Amino acid sequence: MSAKIISGVEIAKAIREELTVVVTELKDKHNVVPGLVTILVGENPASVSYVTAKSKTAKALGIYSEQVDLPADTSEEKLLALIDQYNNDEKINGILVQLPLPKHINEAKVLYAIDPNKDVDGFHPVNVGKMVLGEQCFLPCTPHGILEMLERSGVETSGKEVVVLGRSNIVGKPIANLMLQKRPSGNATVTLCHTRTKDTDFHTRRADIIIAAVGVPNLVKANQVKDGVVIIDVGVNRIGMSESGKAILAGDVDFNEVKEKASFITPVPGGVGPMTITMLMKNTVQAAKQAAGLI
Ligand code: L34
């Protein structure tokens, strides 16, 4: 069997079309224009490309967008002052500080400084807490995108064995939590594996759905999964440079091997990555509606 490819590009496009309708309606009926600011500290090439894509996508949807690029030696104090400024800026509904931050800046302190009502990344502890409790909140973009991909591809998750690889705050921990909840793309039995897990293969071999978010290229091989597994590959690993100077990307899963055994698989590039960007737009539109008292 060869797997059905879940195209993040296609699903993201469909969601963006839905959002364009909502943004137009917000403007025409309520004179509301959602606003997003992206803040990047330093020049990590991957971060530069993601942040640029975020502000470009926002503009294409009719979202007002500001992009702030700061030098790598920007002080924590200066960054906190900038966040405070945007917390108080009525044009801005969403504030995104791209991670990772340079080592001299305390990441938690920065994320805590963002107004939870503008925290379109869903990283503030207020939103993390609400997420765990199953309350209405901003869901972190990558996990949110994964839920949408599963739902829109018709992948049944209820009662299934889900194995998450990786325990990061931005993917592993939240997606594991969301998928065990009573919600669409939820109701699963979830196992989270990490670097100290004794026998990861034991878990991956019995998984109905594997979410790989570890950042190791081609880690998951065909002999570690069962026939018919559903693979969501979150890894976007830069493994080299093409002659034209473009990054060569690989997922955490050995796509060529595993696609022969899986029932569904997401590619890299063109899988989860584009969904992450699109869910940021969805969260920003939600933030604007909330700020306008429309939800
Ligand atoms: N604050 N920091 C904050 N929020 C986030 O949600 C992120 N993340 C992660 C890194 N730091 C963050 C992203 O935006 C990862 N991430 C992200 C966003 C987009 C893509 C990948 C990761 C993406 O578009 N990937 C494309 C390939 C792009 C390329 O050529 O590099 C893909 O098709 O997978």
Side-chain angles (χ1 to χ4, degrees):
M1 180 170 59
S2 192
K4 189 162 184 288
I5 313 283
I6 303 179
S7 168
V9 173
E10 289 298 318
I11 298 173
K13 192 169 156 230
I15 297 173
R16 287 200 306 271
E17 279 165 12
E18 293 162 19
L19 285 174
T20 306
V21 176
V22 177
V23 171
T24 308
E25 201 179 282
L26 278 174
K27 174 93 181 93
D28 293 349
K29 282 202 187 146
H30 304 282
N31 204 24
V32 167
V33 179
L36 172 70
V37 61
T38 58
I39 303 173
L40 173 64
V41 186
E43 287 166 12
N44 174 315
S47 299
V48 171
S49 98
Y50 301 156
V51 167
T52 307
K54 288 174 185 183
S55 44
K56 244 173 81 179
T57 307
K59 283 189 192 120
L61 293 184
I63 294 173
Y64 170 72
S65 153
E66 290 187 26
Q67 184 175 343
V68 183
D69 297 321
L70 300 169
D73 64 357
T74 300
S75 70
E76 183 180 287
E77 207 185 355
K78 186 159 178 210
L79 181 57
L80 292 172
L82 189 70
I83 290 170
D84 190 52
Q85 178 197 317
Y86 283 112
N87 279 342
N88 293 297
D89 184 338
E90 284 191 357
K91 294 191 300 303
I92 298 297
N93 305 108
I95 302 171
L96 175 128
V97 179
Q98 189 70 17
L99 302 179
L101 287 166
K103 289 213 166 51
H104 68 276
I105 297 179
N106 181 334
E107 187 177 292
K109 211 167 164 185
V110 169
L111 298 179
Y112 284 33
I114 296 170
D115 178 345
N117 295 312
K118 297 192 178 189
D119 172 35
V120 284
D121 254 333
F123 293 164
H124 189 285
V126 164
N127 285 314
V128 178
K130 286 184 175 177
M131 178 199 75
V132 172
L133 294 170
E135 288 178 27
Q136 155 85 13
C137 63
F138 296 114
L139 296 181
C141 301
T142 302
H144 198 179
I146 294 170
L147 297 177
E148 287 275 351
M149 286 177 107
L150 291 168
E151 199 179 340
R152 292 181 189 236
S153 309
V155 173
E156 179 61 76
T157 59
S158 181
K160 301 294 181 190
E161 294 290 332
V162 170
V163 171
V164 176
L165 305 177
R167 54 177 154 185
S168 71
N169 287 340
I170 76 173
V171 186
K173 277 194 239 171
I175 193 63
N177 193 276
L178 287 161
M179 291 193 74
L180 60 79
Q181 295 186 20
K182 277 187 192 158
R183 55 161 299 133
S185 300
N187 291 311
T189 303
V190 180
T191 304
L192 193 150
C193 298
H194 49 74
T195 44
R196 302 296 172 92
T197 298
K198 275 212 181 104
D199 188 355
T200 300
D201 289 6
F202 165 78
H203 295 288
T204 56
R205 285 194 183 114
R206 62 173 186 78
D208 299 312
I209 301 171
I210 296 175
I211 318 270
V214 286
V216 179
N218 302 317
L219 179 72
V220 179
K221 303 288 183 189
N223 66 5
Q224 293 167 299
V225 305
K226 73 176 182 188
D227 276 322
V229 68
V230 174
I231 300 279
I232 305 291
D233 191 349
V234 185
V236 184
N237 306 294
R238 297 177 174 241
I239 57 167
M241 202 69 110
S242 74
E243 276 177 28
S244 60
K246 267 188 78 179
I248 300 170
L249 304 177
D252 291 347
V253 177
D254 191 322
F255 182 85
N256 289 326
E257 264 190 46
V258 175
K259 77 173 193 312
E260 300 303 328
K261 261 179 118 173
S263 56
F264 290 87
I265 190 166
T266 65
V268 178
V272 176
M275 291 297 295
T276 295
I277 294 177
T278 297
M279 300 323 285
L280 176 69
M281 305 305 136
K282 192 159 182 173
N283 285 353
T284 303
V285 171
Q286 183 191 325
K289 281 185 182 169
Q290 281 170 203
L294 298 169
I295 34 175

